[in-house]
Structure formats: C-alpha cells, structure tokens
Amino acid sequence: RPIVLLNIAIGIAVMTLCLLMQTWLLIFVFRYYVRHTDLLNNPSVWASVLVISVVMFLLVIGNLAQIAIWGLLFLWLEEFQDFSGAFYHSAVNFATLGYGDHVMSPANRLLGPLEAVNGVLMIGVSTATLMSAVQDAMKRIIKQRRIRK
C-alpha cells in the first residue's frame, strides 16, 4: 500500500504540473488569438485558417510537452533505458491507446492510468479551446461576409 500511495502522490504532482502548463498555454494561445483578430475580421477563410492552424499547433506542442514530462518521470523511475521508449510509452498512455507492448513494473504500474486520466483531461481542454476558436472565427467570417453584401 505505501507504493500505491506514493504512485498516487507522484501522479497527482505530475498532473498538477501538467495542469499548470496547460493553463499557461491557454493564456498564451488566447493572447495570440486576440492579437490576431484583425485577420479573423476578414471575409476570407484563409486568414482564419492561418490563425486556427497556429492555435492548433500550439495546443499540440503543449500536449507533446506534457507527454515528455511523463516520459521523463518514467525515465527517472528507471522504467525505461532511453527517452524514446519512455516518450513512446507516455504517448500511448496520454492518448489512452493502451497498446500494452510496454508494461511498467508493478511498483509503478499505477502511473499509466493516472497519465491516461491526465491525457483525457488535457486533450479535452485542448479540443474545447480549438473548437471555441473555430466557432468564433466562423462567426466572424459570416459577419464580415454579410457586411460586405
């Protein structure tokens, strides 16, 4: 039981770090989006596609950074010999794929599902952010096209 509690404590600490990172990223993405409303207030779809693409790229980079944090934890716990294996395993957990081709030791196995919970939440936040940006951009395009008619 002490190992289980330690895994939960480590998992919650890393989840908190990822949440803080995601919050910072959302603030950064929001500021980027607001700074580029001039492009969004354009009847052309392509200007909005550019802004939305950057938003999506930043969100993906943020999720990859969180995967890397979990991978570094697995490497530090000596579950993997190299970062590429740890990163791959982390990505499988974060995305909730659960291939099972790499299994961690019983002492740290609980960290996999904790990372999966973290991944579901953070990918969900990224998806919601992206969809909000897409909806706002589409409303702006429609408004500009109506004004120009």
Side-chain angles (χ1 to χ4, degrees), residues 19 21-34 40 51-60 62-63 66 120-138:
L19 178 61
M21 177 185 286
Q22 186 81 9
T23 302
W24 176 84
L25 179 67
L26 291 178
I27 292 167
F28 183 80
V29 165
F30 179 73
R31 286 181 178 168
Y32 167 82
Y33 189 81
V34 169
L40 297 168
V51 174
I52 296 299
S53 295
V54 172
V55 167
M56 184 169 43
F57 176 76
L58 292 171
L59 293 168
V60 168
N63 286 322
Q66 292 174 65
V120 166
L121 293 171
M122 296 303 104
I123 291 172
V125 169
S126 294
T127 302
T129 301
L130 181 61
M131 285 311 302
S132 291
V134 168
Q135 289 174 338
D136 181 65
M138 295 312 299

